[in-house]
Amino acid sequence: MKQLSTKVTSNAHGQDSSYFLGWQEYEKNPYDETKNPQGIIQMGLAENQLCFDLIEEWLAKNPDAASFKRSDGQSVFRELALFQDYHGLPEFKKALAEFMEEIRGNRVTFDPSKIVLAAGSTSANETLMFCIAQPGDAILLPTPYYPGFDRDLKWRTGVEIVPILCSSANGFQITESALQQAYQQAHKLDLRVKGVLVTNPSNPLGTTLTRRELNLLLDFITSKNIHLISDEIYSGTVFGSEFVSVMDVLKDKKLENTEVSKRVHVVYSLSKDLGLPGFRVGAIYSNDEMVVSAATKMSSFGLVSSQTQYLLSAMLSDKKFTRTYIDENQKRLRIRQKRLASGLEAAGITCLRSNAGLFGWVDMRHLLDTNTFEAEFELWKKIVYEVKLNISPGSSCHCTEPGWFRVCFANMSEETLALAMKRLKEYVESTDSGRLMSRSSHERLKSLRKKTVSNWVFRVSWTDREPDER
Amino acid sequence: MAAASDKNLLSKIAGGDQHGEDSPYFDGWKAYEDDPFHPTRNPHGVIQMGLAENQLCSDLIKEWIKVNPHASICTSEGVHDFSHVAVFQDYHGLPEFRQAIARFMGKARGGRVRFEPERVVMSGGATGANETLMFCLADPGDAFLVPTPYYAAFDRDLRWRTGVRIIPVECYSSNDFRITRQALESSYLKARESGTKVKGLILSNPSNPLGTTLDGSTLETLVGFVNDKQIHLVCDEIYAATVFSAAPKFTSVAEIVQDMDHHGHIINRDLIHIVCSLSKDMGLPGFRVGIIYSFNDAVVSAARKMSSFGLVSSQTQSFLAALLSDERFVDDFMVQSSKRLANRHGVFTKGLEEMGISCLTSNAGLFVWMDLRPMLKDQSFESEMALWNVIVNKVRINVSPGSSFHCSEPGWFRVCFANMDEETLHVGLRRIREFVLGNRNIKKTAADNKTRGGWQRNLRLSPSSRIYEEHALSPRLLSPHSPLLRA
């Protein structure tokens, strides 16, 4: 008799994907400024390490929160040690709701009683799947998408992912036809579609969904009577234009408190905005009482440590701190993204124009030998082993076009980023000299600029058509 | 609201009631929540004795925190570690944390077993650990054998999202609820005959709700049984360090595995898995520290990947690594905890004995398994519920009726003693005494009562008691404050 479950014996956890293999290589030979300057630079890790100084400063100014003490000097240790109520610490949920509102310019409100805490957005997303879908159901996701979704949404839930195919022709935006095609594809596969899940801002694209896309999505789920999950884990990393949440659009379309609004759920986390992935703080926000009720019970399987809830409720209740942090975080991210983009440009590489996230979606199609995923894999291996940069190949994100890579920029020092760009430039120049045998460098640069311009032109013209978008 | 269509929009799991929280047992909780006892502010309120928490040693940890500011990443002494810990989400866990846990587990077993840090896998409390193990060891429709009486929330933790079924293995008071080979075989056979695939056996040792530890021969029986059938054995050892009596000693299944290695017995180690937690031993349920320790490499690997769904906060890992690495503190803590639990247990059981109430002899846990069979109108679960309603509403103590633990015999109640201060415990004893004396015709002394069955003759409900009838309530209110909400 087979001894272990099929979940264990299959590899549906998805961890054999190249996304994780690059990590393993990095672990074997990690870059260190002094101890291992020739090592692999980690650019596959979407971490935000830019603002720890602000948090550490806050901690220094708030020793009570740090040492289990209330402002009146009373110890809360015992209370916290025993606190395992799956409704969560009320002060924490209130502070979290207000923080989420602040990130959205206080244009929308979040009711703390509709928040369900989870052990990271990893757990939040899985829990939502358990609530809205079962084995044999499907959820539609626009490509490219976060590789971890293959595990988080499918592994233990038995739910399938059917991709909504997006292409570079329009900057990877979601179109009506792509949505319909995905829906029909699910039917062909005999799967019942229960919802659409989008990450907004997008991982790996680093872009926010346009109002047009959000309206499209809401119309789609309305007509199909399905759910919409908006994973807004990167909402606080928007450094360009203003972030338009699905909650904004619901409000603008006057759909609050309607049937549709009950099927729209937001996922959040403090792992990216505050750079605290170790603390495992995730949240589900839903207007559906039954979802809130079921998800709350399920959170028993992954509650947030009371110690962590307490610390963060103090921190997020400090409005001066949160205001400063959000602004400063955005500023530093904007600068970093610019450094990445200009560093890439010096190497003749462009990236998708982005306004959020901790990474760039980089176009290396021109560096492929052939327009195939095999060629992408070969290029990726060269970049990991020769250029010594761990970046994430687009195929690991289920991108339909070979040649795109996600490159993170917020998990290292400025110097390390500069070094990474330098290595990349040297590599491209060395291969360029190889390619000179087939094409003149002038022609190369010309065709490069064309591609660059067309990417930019498309997004710019899109903005022109939507004057309300900023 | 179109409720029917709403249900269709949600999964069966979310729309159903398999989470078990709509069970009618949560009246006691509601009664407590509505009217909680407080020695000065509400001396007539309901005393909470349905909550298996260990509040006896938090002062020791508090003291330690005061003199070890470096243990926190938030103090000036510890903040240099803040950014490193804050980004640490590696599901292997902080190395110092794993090592400290492995050492702690060894100490909780009297130093008789050595645990390898590499096998320590984190989970969202023991709640998360048990669910994860089910996901690893069984497919939907498969079953696990569970000896009765068992922890009520197993119904949710083992079955709800996993689709795994529970097959009870009945145990009886006639042999102190020990698990027999016969009972195991019988349940196993019945399952097989109905076409159900049994993937393993899961139990808590020390037992919740019994408070007893498995004796050596029962443990060997269990290991032999699973080995014969080549099915898994999951030992939830969450109460390991709540053993307060030197004898009988607590034997972890890990010792059996270790000894068998030494004595060359053939045992398939791939079948043995242990669950631990710091929620009971150290009284830190809020910190959500669950541990899976498996002797099966494939399970360690899979469970570790699944731990992404319930990692321990790195802030907490870091703090506990420091706390548990302080060997002197841990050794002292365990001695103190044992002593205080023994004292509590002694005070409580002696107090009960004096009024003619006996409990199952126990050597561990945060509760006693109280025998109130003589107080039942008849040996039925309806009578048990009626008595329970009296205890909650008249005596004003929240206790847990045996039926909520799937006990096969009516009349047993789990009563917790470690989640309150000593004064409150005495108030509880006083109330019980008043109730008992007001309803019983006690002819013999406690000493005589020790004779098996002797006290049963004495403890008849006096016909003058009308309290039963008054409080034999019918439909109960569903309480939102279920004990199951305490993960």
Side-chain angles (χ1 to χ4, degrees):
Chain A
M1 178 173 69
K2 186 166 59 65
Q3 272 186 352
L4 302 181
S5 67
T6 44
K7 289 176 182 61
V8 171
T9 52
S10 69
N11 64 354
H13 49 72
Q15 283 195 216
D16 297 332
S17 98
S18 51
Y19 178 73
F20 296 100
L21 294 177
W23 283 56
Q24 286 167 19
E25 283 312 307
Y26 165 77
E27 297 288 334
K28 289 188 215 158
N29 181 20
Y31 168 81
D32 182 284
E33 205 175 335
T34 43
K35 290 186 274 209
N36 189 17
Q38 303 302 320
I40 298 177
I41 297 176
Q42 176 63 288
M43 303 189 88
L45 188 49
E47 265 176 17
N48 184 355
Q49 295 192 19
L50 303 189
C51 289
F52 282 128
D53 58 315
L54 299 179
I55 297 181
E56 283 159 7
E57 203 183 286
W58 184 89
L59 288 171
K61 292 205 199 111
N62 293 272
D64 285 342
S67 45
F68 291 114
K69 269 199 278 197
R70 271 201 290 260
S71 44
D72 59 6
Q74 285 280 66
S75 168
V76 290
F77 171 73
R78 201 166 203 236
E79 272 173 57
L80 289 179
L82 298 172
F83 187 83
Q84 54 172 330
D85 182 347
Y86 58 25
H87 293 100
L89 212 58
E91 315 80 276
F92 178 53
K93 290 213 295 191
K94 179 170 178 286
L96 187 62
E98 287 165 0
F99 188 65
M100 289 168 72
E101 287 170 359
E102 205 170 347
I103 285 175
R104 291 157 186 73
N106 289 308
R107 296 182 305 272
V108 293
T109 53
F110 287 95
D111 178 352
S113 70
K114 294 180 178 173
I115 293 180
V116 180
L117 298 175
S121 61
T122 298
S123 171
N125 282 317
E126 189 198 42
T127 293
L128 266 176
M129 285 303 105
F130 273 123
C131 287
I132 66 162
Q134 47 214 34
D137 290 344
I139 188 109
L140 309 181
L141 262 64
T143 64
Y145 63 77
Y146 164 55
F149 279 151
D150 288 328
R151 172 196 61 191
D152 301 350
L153 306 180
K154 303 194 316 179
W155 190 19
R156 306 191 308 180
T157 61
V159 174
E160 282 302 328
I161 291 176
V162 174
I164 301 165
L165 303 176
C166 299
S167 105
S168 61
N170 72 341
F172 296 95
Q173 289 189 43
I174 302 169
T175 64
E176 164 113 43
S177 66
L179 277 169
Q180 296 291 354
Q181 257 185 324
Y183 192 83
Q184 279 149 32
Q185 176 63 10
H187 275 264
K188 275 200 208 116
L189 296 170
D190 215 16
L191 299 166
R192 216 173 19 176
V193 177
K194 292 319 278 289
V196 179
L197 187 149
V198 297
T199 310
N200 181 29
S202 162
N203 173 12
L205 302 176
T207 56
T208 51
L209 289 177
T210 59
R211 265 181 205 279
R212 187 190 140 278
E213 287 167 287
L214 287 166
N215 280 317
L216 186 61
L217 286 165
L218 282 172
D219 290 342
F220 184 73
I221 66 155
T222 304
S223 72
K224 304 288 189 217
N225 200 31
I226 58 177
H227 297 268
L228 175 63
I229 297 171
S230 182
D231 183 349
E232 302 188 350
I233 188 177
Y234 288 97
S235 49
T237 68
V238 178
F239 51 76
S241 45
E242 196 176 56
F243 172 54
V244 179
S245 162
V246 69
M247 295 309 227
D248 282 289
V249 179
L250 274 175
K251 187 171 174 195
D252 296 342
K253 282 167 81 105
K254 301 208 187 340
L255 288 174
E256 288 162 316
N257 302 312
T258 61
E259 264 309 296
V260 180
S261 71
K262 287 224 187 85
R263 296 201 304 277
V264 176
H265 321 280
V266 172
V267 166
Y268 186 53
S269 160
L270 298 181
S271 299
K272 309 295 178 184
D273 295 349
L274 285 185
L276 307 172
F279 288 6
R280 313 317 300 144
V281 181
I284 295 169
Y285 186 87
S286 175
N287 291 306
D288 184 329
E289 281 167 12
M290 283 180 73
V291 169
V292 170
S293 170
T296 301
K297 294 178 177 68
M298 287 186 193
S299 68
S300 299
F301 300 110
L303 295 176
V304 179
S305 169
S306 58
Q307 177 190 28
T308 300
Q309 290 188 53
Y310 183 72
L311 172 70
L312 294 174
S313 74
M315 201 184 289
L316 297 182
S317 299
D318 185 339
K319 300 305 179 199
K320 208 163 107 181
F321 168 76
T322 56
R323 184 73 262 150
T324 309
Y325 185 94
I326 291 171
D327 288 345
E328 193 58 28
N329 185 41
Q330 287 172 354
K331 197 168 96 183
R332 296 182 191 184
L333 285 169
R334 189 182 316 129
I335 293 171
R336 269 305 170 92
Q337 193 275 342
K338 279 210 176 76
R339 289 212 208 285
L340 175 80
S342 56
L344 290 171
E345 207 184 340
I349 300 172
T350 62
C351 51
L352 187 70
R353 185 170 182 183
S354 64
N355 63 335
L358 309 173
F359 33 72
W361 185 238
V362 177
D363 186 355
M364 298 205 207
R365 291 176 291 176
H366 61 291
L367 296 176
L368 296 182
D369 285 334
T370 53
N371 186 26
T372 61
F373 286 110
E374 289 72 28
E376 178 186 278
F377 191 60
E378 290 306 310
L379 176 60
W380 174 70
K381 277 195 290 188
K382 287 206 188 84
I383 296 178
V384 171
Y385 294 106
E386 291 175 29
V387 189
K388 303 247 184 42
L389 305 177
N390 180 35
I391 62 179
S392 311
S395 50
S396 68
C397 303
H398 300 276
C399 187
T400 51
E401 305 166 24
W404 292 88
F405 291 80
R406 190 192 77 169
V407 181
C408 300
F409 55 68
N411 61 308
M412 66 200 56
S413 68
E414 261 182 57
E415 295 75 27
T416 308
L417 181 62
L419 173 61
M421 295 297 96
K422 182 159 159 279
R423 286 185 187 178
L424 195 53
K425 182 163 185 276
E426 282 162 9
Y427 169 75
V428 169
E429 280 165 359
S430 72
T431 53
D432 255 358
S433 60
R435 284 170 202 274
L436 271 173
M437 301 212 279
S438 46
R439 297 168 76 180
S440 77
S441 59
H442 174 74
E443 265 182 273
R444 271 211 100 240
L445 281 168
K446 228 173 80 180
S447 77
L448 252 179
R449 269 195 216 103
K450 254 208 212 121
K451 282 209 187 88
T452 312
V453 166
S454 65
N455 273 344
W456 283 59
V457 161
F458 207 96
R459 290 205 85 97
V460 164
S461 66
W462 209 238
T463 317
D464 284 346
R465 269 185 242 145
E466 304 284 335
D468 53 317
E469 277 185 75
R470 271 173 294 285
Chain B
M1 180 168 88
S5 66
D6 275 354
K7 282 221 173 222
N8 285 337
L9 278 175
L10 302 189
S11 65
K12 289 202 195 88
I13 289 176
D17 61 357
Q18 282 280 290
H19 47 71
E21 289 187 34
D22 295 335
S23 140
Y25 298 113
F26 307 122
D27 239 22
W29 288 77
K30 187 172 198 306
Y32 170 75
E33 298 283 340
D34 287 347
D35 187 19
F37 170 83
H38 186 276
T40 47
R41 293 195 293 256
N42 190 18
H44 299 294
V46 176
I47 298 177
Q48 177 62 284
M49 298 187 91
L51 187 51
E53 265 177 14
N54 184 354
Q55 295 189 18
L56 303 189
C57 289
S58 58
D59 59 313
L60 298 177
I61 300 179
K62 244 167 70 176
E63 275 315 304
W64 189 91
I65 290 173
K66 275 199 201 137
V67 299
N68 289 277
H70 69 277
S72 163
I73 51 174
C74 303
T75 57
S76 52
E77 292 86 345
V79 79
H80 58 271
D81 244 352
F82 183 85
S83 52
H84 162 70
V85 170
V87 299
F88 191 88
Q89 57 173 328
D90 179 348
Y91 59 28
H92 291 87
L94 283 172
E96 46 284 24
F97 174 70
R98 278 202 298 175
Q99 282 155 23
I101 290 285
R103 252 199 317 269
F104 178 80
M105 286 169 66
K107 280 186 192 288
R109 289 150 186 77
R112 295 181 294 273
V113 199
R114 206 194 136 265
F115 290 90
E116 300 165 57
E118 304 74 47
R119 289 193 180 280
V120 170
V121 174
M122 294 180 286
S123 61
T127 300
N130 284 317
E131 190 198 43
T132 293
L133 274 173
M134 289 304 109
F135 273 126
C136 289
L137 305 178
D139 287 320
D142 292 344
F144 256 75
L145 302 174
V146 189
T148 68
Y150 62 81
Y151 167 54
F154 271 167
D155 286 333
R156 172 196 65 190
D157 301 348
L158 307 181
R159 303 184 317 172
W160 190 23
R161 307 191 304 180
T162 61
V164 171
R165 297 158 58 178
I166 288 179
I167 293 176
V169 177
E170 305 291 359
C171 301
Y172 301 95
S173 60
S174 49
N175 70 340
D176 291 336
F177 296 97
R178 270 194 282 273
I179 308 162
T180 63
R181 179 95 191 206
Q182 197 183 24
L184 289 167
E185 293 283 0
S186 152
S187 297
Y188 183 81
L189 187 63
K190 225 168 41 190
R192 289 288 293 258
E193 279 168 356
S194 70
T196 302
K197 223 190 296 182
V198 176
K199 295 310 289 286
L201 166 67
I202 180 170
L203 48 80
S204 52
N205 177 34
S207 161
N208 174 12
L210 302 176
T212 54
T213 54
L214 293 175
D215 56 78
S217 95
T218 304
L219 202 40
E220 291 208 14
T221 300
L222 298 181
V223 172
F225 173 75
V226 300
N227 208 42
D228 281 347
K229 309 286 190 245
Q230 283 297 292
I231 61 176
H232 296 279
L233 175 60
V234 178
C235 285
D236 183 351
E237 300 187 349
I238 190 179
Y239 289 97
T242 68
V243 175
F244 50 76
S245 150
K249 82 169 171 58
F250 167 59
T251 305
S252 162
V253 72
E255 277 183 67
I256 303 288
V257 172
Q258 199 172 261
D259 288 346
M260 285 197 173
D261 282 346
H262 291 154
H263 297 132
H265 292 254
I266 317 274
I267 176 188
N268 185 358
R269 296 158 52 104
D270 281 348
L271 301 173
I272 314 291
H273 323 275
I274 300 175
V275 167
C276 299
S277 162
L278 297 182
S279 301
K280 311 294 180 182
D281 295 350
M282 299 210 74
L284 304 173
F287 289 8
R288 313 315 305 143
V289 182
I291 303 291
I292 294 172
Y293 190 94
S294 173
F295 292 95
N296 181 323
D297 293 345
V299 172
V300 169
S301 171
R304 185 160 282 142
K305 294 180 175 71
M306 288 187 189
S307 67
S308 299
F309 299 111
L311 295 173
V312 177
S313 166
S314 56
Q315 176 195 16
T316 301
Q317 288 185 52
S318 168
F319 167 72
L320 290 172
L323 181 75
L324 300 180
S325 298
D326 186 338
E327 303 232 15
R328 216 161 51 111
F329 168 79
V330 175
D331 290 339
D332 179 62
F333 181 93
M334 287 192 172
V335 165
Q336 279 300 313
S337 180
S338 235
K339 219 159 70 175
R340 295 180 191 186
L341 283 168
N343 178 57
R344 271 301 170 94
H345 174 265
V347 164
F348 194 51
T349 49
K350 191 156 179 297
L352 292 171
E353 242 177 67
E354 280 165 6
M355 42 179 122
I357 294 179
S358 77
C359 303
L360 187 69
T361 306
S362 63
N363 59 330
L366 309 173
F367 33 73
V368 293
W369 188 235
M370 194 186 283
D371 186 356
L372 295 182
R373 289 175 296 170
M375 297 189 72
L376 297 183
K377 216 159 80 155
D378 54 54
Q379 296 301 306
S380 71
F381 286 107
E382 288 72 33
S383 295
E384 179 183 279
M385 286 309 285
L387 175 58
W388 178 64
N389 273 304
V390 170
I391 296 173
V392 169
N393 295 297
K394 179 71 183 173
V395 189
R396 307 191 62 66
I397 299 180
N398 183 34
V399 299
S400 311
S403 45
S404 65
F405 299 95
H406 302 277
C407 187
S408 46
E409 303 169 17
W412 294 87
F413 291 78
R414 190 193 75 171
V415 185
C416 302
F417 56 69
N419 62 304
M420 77 255 328
D421 57 40
E422 198 151 338
E423 293 72 44
T424 307
L425 186 75
H426 283 291
V427 173
L429 274 172
R430 204 166 47 238
R431 289 186 187 179
I432 298 173
R433 188 175 305 119
E434 279 163 17
F435 171 64
V436 163
L437 294 182
N439 287 285
R440 306 275 183 82
N441 207 352
I442 295 179
K443 288 189 178 116
K444 293 190 181 184
T445 62
D448 292 324
N449 288 344
K450 283 203 186 94
T451 314
R452 189 189 281 275
W455 53 267
Q456 287 185 348
R457 286 197 293 277
N458 303 329
L459 301 173
R460 287 176 351 251
L461 269 179
S462 99
S464 65
S465 162
R466 308 272 232 118
I467 304 169
Y468 236 11
E469 280 69 33
E470 280 171 37
H471 291 274
L473 301 168
S474 47
R476 295 146 201 96
L477 298 160
L478 295 181
S479 165
H481 300 283
S482 123
L484 296 183
L485 73 76
R486 295 170 189 281

